[in-house]
């Protein structure tokens, strides 16, 4: 217990953050689900707008953009920062849609146990038979920051998935 | 030790996320069930000064609810016009259709038959071409409820990906219809809610989703008509209207049969040809097809001889009573069968005066003009 408390003090917080206490979290994480809606503006031009998924038409086949923004409240540089996100149930990952400036993006096809670059993911389809993993096989996505996250540093990562 | 704890904490959070996301209804070909809530969970791990810190998670957040994508397919199970005889009705004059729920919510369907006026539509079956030129005297819509067909105008409830079979039955095809008369019927299915209320007006809107019993599953979600019209100019079926239509048709096929009876030259007991008591005469009765498009099967020839005549036993080879000859004009095949008393096809036979001779033509079908079935038997003048 003493060791945990010592760690917490070192990290600059007294309560390990949970959902709902994000304001005081050491690293603040916020997730948005959005859909792209095409509208026509006053000039008659088509505009692509992002709308919160909860307020838009979302039915099977529609694409949702999941964006997670992060910002550090840690008083020292945070190292080895890795954000993970399961592909939500009922959704299928859209190939090559994961983005994140300054991150190394890897995927898991085993429920988040292991992560690799897409080309290294192999699915076993039968005795001695394998095939390269497809986007639909991905269960989790991981973004690893290539540099330490400085105090007050922020950024965002995102991916797209379609409703099955 | 610390690292181990962190990993356990992360695992626990992931597990909670997974449980929250579980839905009682799985994903189907029609897509994720309407009313399913989908959320997202992001987590972060990091270390400070080479010490791994507790993992942080957003928990399940940014949740949205999957709306109802309304889609259906109506198709006919008939691969060609359904041939009917004048006077046919009920199951003998039935067009069969399938209604499939391609949407992601349970729906009810209101059914109606679309009747076309003469000349307003043509055969839905390629390459068969014909134009609609009559209507049945009346018709009824039946739905296969799983335990037989029921007379109804709706499919009460159909879950995602399920198919219901529907029939439009003529009641009847008028006896006056002629060979090759053609009647097209469309089955129109309109999606409604299982509580009997209408779906959204227009192509999309907000509404409730119901279960098979008509109870609300979720409220205020998006209802989107996603049915795409594939039959172009068809006025009874549009894009994204929650309705679909398919056509099938009746083709009237009649058959004209001609019956003739002839007698051969009498053979008297004195080597002559006098029609006197004791003389033998051979009768030939022929049923031949001379018109129409249908096939006559189950032909039975019956003849009650005059009271002054009696059928002769053992008149044909093999001690048989009646000779039956069938002729197939298509293959120009003549088949002769000698029928003995007791044979199943010799349905009535006696050697008494005024007896009735009844012969079945068996499985022989009179399906082309020129086909015939004839019987020969001999009588003795009393």
């Amino acid at each position: 217990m003493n060791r945990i408390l010592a760690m917490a003090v070192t990290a600059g917080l007294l309560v390990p953050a949970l959902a709902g206490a994000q304001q005081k979290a050491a690293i603040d994480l916020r997730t948005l689900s959005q859909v792209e809606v095409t509208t026509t503006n006053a000039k008659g031009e088509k505009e692509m707008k992002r709308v919160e998924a909860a307020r838009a038409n979302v039915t099977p086949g529609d694409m949702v953009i999941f964006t997670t923004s992060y910002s550090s409240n840690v008083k020292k540089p945070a190292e080895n920062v890795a954000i993970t996100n399961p592909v939500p149930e009922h959704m299928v990952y859209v190939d090559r849609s994961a983005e994140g400036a300054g991150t190394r993006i890897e995927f898991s096809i085993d429920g988040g146990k292991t992560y690799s670059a897409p080309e290294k993911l192999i699915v076993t389809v039968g005795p001695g038979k394998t095939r390269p993993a497809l986007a639909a096989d991905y269960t989790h996505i991981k973004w690893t920051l290539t540099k330490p996250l400085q105090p007050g540093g922020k950024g965002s990562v995102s991916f797209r998935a379609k409703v099955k | 030790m610390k690292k181990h704890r962190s990993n356990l904490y992360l695992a626990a959070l992931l597990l909670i996320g997974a449980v929250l996301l579980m839905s009682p209804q799985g994903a189907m070909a029609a897509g994720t069930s309407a009313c399913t809530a989908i959320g997202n969970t992001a987590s972060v791990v990091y270390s400070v000064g080479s010490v791994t810190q507790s993992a942080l998670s957003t928990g399940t957040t940014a949740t949205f609810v999957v709306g109802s994508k309304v889609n259906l397919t109506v198709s006919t199970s008939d691969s060609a016009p359904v041939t009917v005889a004048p006077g046919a009705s009920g199951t003998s004059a039935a067009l069969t259709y399938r209604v499939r729920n391609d949407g992601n919510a349970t729906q009810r369907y209101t059914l109606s038959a679309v009747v076309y006026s003469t000349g307003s539509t043509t055969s839905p079956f390629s390459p068969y071409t014909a134009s609609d030129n009559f209507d049945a005297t009346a018709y009824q819509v039946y739905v296969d409820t799983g335990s037989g067909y029921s007379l109804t105008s709706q499919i009460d409830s159909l879950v995602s990906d399920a198919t219901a079979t529907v029939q439009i039955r003529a009641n009847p095809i008028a006896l006056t219809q002629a060979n090759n008369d053609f009647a097209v019927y469309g089955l129109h299915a309109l999606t409604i809610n299982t509580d009997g209320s209408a779906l959204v007006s227009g192509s999309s809107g907000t509404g409730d989703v119901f279960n098979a019993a008509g109870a609300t599953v979720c409220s205020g979600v998006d209802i989107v008509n996603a049915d795409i019209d594939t039959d172009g100019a068809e006025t009874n079926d549009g894009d994204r209207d929650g309705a679909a239509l398919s056509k099938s048709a009746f083709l009237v096929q009649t058959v004209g049969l001609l019956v003739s009876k002839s007698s051969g030259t009498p053979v008297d007991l004195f080597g002559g040809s006098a029609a006197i008591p004791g003389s033998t005469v051979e009768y030939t009765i022929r049923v031949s097809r001379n018109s129409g498009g249908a096939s006559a099967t189950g032909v039975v020839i019956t003849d009650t001889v005059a009271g002054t005549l009696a059928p002769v036993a053992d008149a044909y080879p093999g001690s048989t009573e009646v000779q039956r000859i069938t002729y197939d004009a298509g293959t120009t095949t003549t088949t002769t069968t000698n029928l003995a008393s007791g044979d199943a096809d010799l349905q009535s036979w006696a050697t008494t005066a005024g007896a009735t001779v009844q012969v079945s033509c068996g499985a022989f079908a009179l399906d082309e003009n020129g086909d015939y079935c004839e019987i020969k038997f001999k009588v003795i003048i009393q």
Side-chain angles (χ1 to χ4, degrees):
Chain A
M1 186 56 202
N2 281 342
R3 284 189 64 181
I4 294 172
L5 185 62
M7 176 279 294
V9 169
T10 310
L13 81 163
L14 293 170
V15 183
L18 288 167
Q22 288 152 333
Q23 288 298 339
K24 292 178 181 174
I27 292 180
D28 192 10
L29 281 187
R30 285 155 190 265
T31 290
L32 266 180
S33 309
Q34 294 172 307
V35 292
E36 282 179 338
V37 180
T38 307
T39 54
T40 309
N41 66 15
K43 294 176 186 169
E45 297 161 339
K46 297 228 164 181
E47 282 183 337
M48 191 82 95
K49 238 173 48 176
R50 287 191 181 186
V51 183
E52 262 190 75
R55 295 163 189 253
N57 281 337
V58 182
T59 52
D62 287 348
M63 189 166 68
V64 178
I65 306 154
F66 294 97
T67 307
T68 298
S69 50
Y70 58 89
S71 60
S72 177
N73 300 318
V74 186
K75 296 210 166 99
K76 290 184 175 180
E79 302 142 8
N80 306 319
V81 177
I83 296 165
T84 53
N85 200 139
V87 176
E89 193 179 358
H90 306 297
M91 306 286 299
V92 60
Y93 173 74
V94 175
D95 201 16
R96 285 189 274 263
S97 67
E99 293 175 5
T103 64
R104 184 176 77 246
I105 304 172
E106 294 170 302
F107 300 91
S108 173
I109 56 170
D110 59 6
K113 288 194 202 94
T114 60
Y115 289 86
S116 293
E119 63 273 15
K120 289 180 184 161
L121 292 169
I122 302 295
V123 176
T124 303
V125 290
K129 284 179 75 180
T130 60
R131 63 163 173 81
L134 303 171
D137 297 318
Y138 299 170
T139 62
H140 290 68
I141 307 156
K142 180 160 91 174
W143 295 264
T144 306
L145 271 60
T146 50
K147 289 178 184 169
L149 181 60
Q150 298 302 321
K154 59 177 85 170
S156 72
V157 297
S158 70
F159 69 99
R160 293 168 185 238
K162 280 185 172 179
V163 180
K164 285 185 193 167
Chain B
M1 183 61 191
K2 188 73 237 121
K3 192 170 195 298
H4 182 61
R5 285 185 187 216
S6 297
N7 286 344
L8 271 178
Y9 187 32
L10 176 60
L13 279 168
L14 288 173
L15 190 62
I16 292 164
V19 169
L20 285 171
L21 285 168
M22 290 249 287
S23 160
Q25 293 156 310
M28 290 176 278
T32 304
S33 299
C35 302
T36 302
I38 297 179
N40 192 37
T41 309
S43 306
V44 64
V45 292
Y46 65 103
S47 55
V48 174
S50 299
V51 180
T52 302
Q53 308 294 302
S54 297
L56 304 171
S57 169
T58 59
T60 303
T61 183
T63 303
F64 57 91
V65 175
V66 176
S68 172
K69 187 177 187 174
V70 179
N71 203 354
L72 76 164
T73 304
V74 179
S75 57
T76 179
S77 313
D78 304 323
S79 54
V82 173
T83 57
V84 286
S89 66
T91 53
S92 298
L95 305 176
T96 308
Y97 304 84
R98 286 180 297 246
V99 177
R100 191 179 69 218
N101 181 356
D102 296 326
N104 65 338
T106 301
Q107 305 289 7
R108 176 174 291 183
Y109 298 92
T110 300
L111 305 173
S112 55
V114 177
V115 185
Y116 296 89
S117 55
T118 295
S120 69
T121 193
T122 53
S123 169
F125 301 108
S126 178
Y128 186 90
T129 56
S131 187
D132 178 276
N133 73 339
F134 84 99
D135 296 327
T137 306
Y139 64 84
Q140 281 142 355
V141 176
Y142 284 79
V143 174
D144 186 351
T145 59
S147 53
Y149 280 94
S150 172
L151 177 63
T152 175
S153 60
Q154 71 178 25
I155 299 165
D156 291 342
S157 71
L158 207 55
V159 300
S160 294
D161 287 338
T163 299
T165 304
V166 177
Q167 287 191 334
I168 295 176
R169 296 178 183 172
N171 190 25
I173 300 288
L175 278 168
T176 50
Q177 295 314 144
N179 197 50
N180 289 336
D181 276 356
F182 197 72
V184 178
Y185 283 86
L187 178 74
H188 182 265
L190 172 68
T191 314
I192 60 170
N193 291 316
T194 52
D195 71 342
S197 61
L199 287 183
V200 290
S201 61
S203 58
S204 67
T206 303
D208 295 357
V209 174
F210 301 86
N211 65 13
T216 305
V217 181
C218 63
S219 299
V221 296
D222 301 301
I223 313 288
V224 178
N225 282 327
D227 57 299
I228 301 302
D229 173 30
T230 52
D231 49 20
E234 180 55 58
T235 53
N236 296 288
D237 181 19
D239 255 356
R240 303 188 61 188
D241 58 357
L245 174 131
S246 176
K247 292 189 242 181
S248 184
F250 290 117
L251 173 65
V252 176
Q253 293 285 269
T254 60
V255 58
L257 296 178
L258 196 65
V259 185
S260 61
K261 182 176 178 179
S262 60
S263 54
T265 307
V267 178
D268 65 33
L269 297 170
F270 313 103
S273 58
I276 54 172
S279 297
T280 303
V281 180
E282 184 179 58
Y283 278 123
T284 301
I285 302 169
R286 176 185 290 190
V287 175
S288 56
R289 183 185 190 281
N290 67 350
S291 67
S295 175
T297 54
V299 172
V300 175
I301 300 169
T302 307
D303 185 33
T304 301
V305 302
T308 53
L309 304 171
V312 178
D314 302 339
Y316 296 94
S319 302
T320 55
E321 278 63 63
V322 175
Q323 193 163 65
R324 183 182 70 197
I325 299 154
T326 56
Y327 175 70
D328 183 337
T331 58
T332 64
T333 308
T334 304
T335 306
T336 302
T337 313
N338 294 313
L339 300 170
S341 178
D343 191 301
D345 283 347
L346 185 52
Q347 297 177 343
S348 176
W349 171 261
T351 53
T352 51
T356 295
V357 177
Q358 185 168 302
V359 180
S360 164
C361 292
F364 185 70
L366 283 76
D367 52 9
E368 296 152 302
N369 288 342
D371 283 1
Y372 67 78
C373 171
E374 89 180 6
I375 62 167
K376 290 176 182 290
F377 61 93
K378 292 176 183 174
V379 293
I380 189 162
I381 300 172
Q382 301 295 291

